[in-house]
Amino acid sequence: MTNKDFLDRSYEVFAEVEEEFKGFLDEGLEPRGPEMLYELASGLGIRGGGSALDIGCGEGRHSIALASRFGLRVKGIDPVPRHIELARRDLSARAQADPGVSDAVSFESGRAEAIPAGDASVDLIWCRDVLVHVEELSAAYAEFRRVLAPGGRVLVYQMFCTELMEPREADRLLPTMGCVEANMRPDYAEAAMRTAGLRIDECIVLGTEWGQYGQEHSGKGGRNLLHAARLIQNPDRYIERFGRENYDIALGDCLWHVYRLIGKLSDRVYVLSAADRA
Ligand SMILES: C[S@@+](CC[C@H](N)C(=O)[O-])C[C@H]1O[C@@H](n2cnc3c(N)ncnc32)[C@H](O)[C@@H]1O
């Protein structure tokens, strides 16, 4: 584009619609948010009393929600001892108010690649925001297939890189966030699912939706952007107080959310079942 073309387009043509365009952009697109995972789970036909595994359960919030919303017996597993401790503490704090849920949920140490559950014993595998971290993705999916009961379903939520992510941005961000680069390519992840004997029943590409949702409901994206700007402007201020490692993690975490908001990262939801069963 010549300089004259640019001046004409920006200051003549675009200027005429700019105000109307920005007003139109202020109208939300009704993005879906995290609640959609529960809506999806409720449509999978898993009956109350069935068993669920929350793989990489973190502090156990979703394990407890799966039990209280759907009446499932849920085991949450995670390799980080602090997560299991906090999850158990939260569960016992609920025991008096909600003994049914408290009895239905348990937490134990475990990894996706070696699931502490018997063959064909689980009706719902819930794996939210975990698989980017797993070094042997195919081993994890083989385990999903092994423990899945007849008629069982797998619900995976995971982040992927898009073509907007530049290689140097990925090289900087992914190791800081403990992500395995290959896992963040949809073709690689889908091949691991299929090789393990799982069928992809549904794949929902969320793009920037959860990022928009977070911004519209709590200003999360904008806050991360502002934090990234501060971290970049004055690294020493934060490194002196919290150390280099924590600085890198804080910046990586902010950029993760910003990249999702601008489409360099895109989350997806997969619903899977055993490939050899109708
Ligand atoms: C971003 S957190 C998500 C926690 C929770 N699923 C949620 O959605 O709130 C990622 C979790 O994955 C766990 N994780 C990391 N590597 C794992 C592995 N190999 N197997 C199972 N969980 C793992 C971490 O300990 C952490 O709790």
Side-chain angles (χ1 to χ4, degrees), residues 9-29:
R9 282 190 204 173
S10 294
Y11 298 118
E12 300 279 355
V13 182
F14 184 68
E16 280 191 20
V17 296
E18 185 169 3
E19 207 172 317
E20 185 190 346
F21 201 146
K22 294 204 168 144
F24 197 45
L25 274 172
D26 281 335
E27 289 174 20
L29 300 177

Side-chain angles (χ1 to χ4, degrees), residues 55-58 61-62 78-80 83 110-113 128-130 133-134:
I55 309 275
C57 62
R61 189 161 52 100
H62 300 289
D78 200 283
V80 174
H83 289 164
R111 315 182 74 87
E113 308 90 312
R128 183 189 185 279
D129 211 7
V130 173
H133 301 301
V134 171

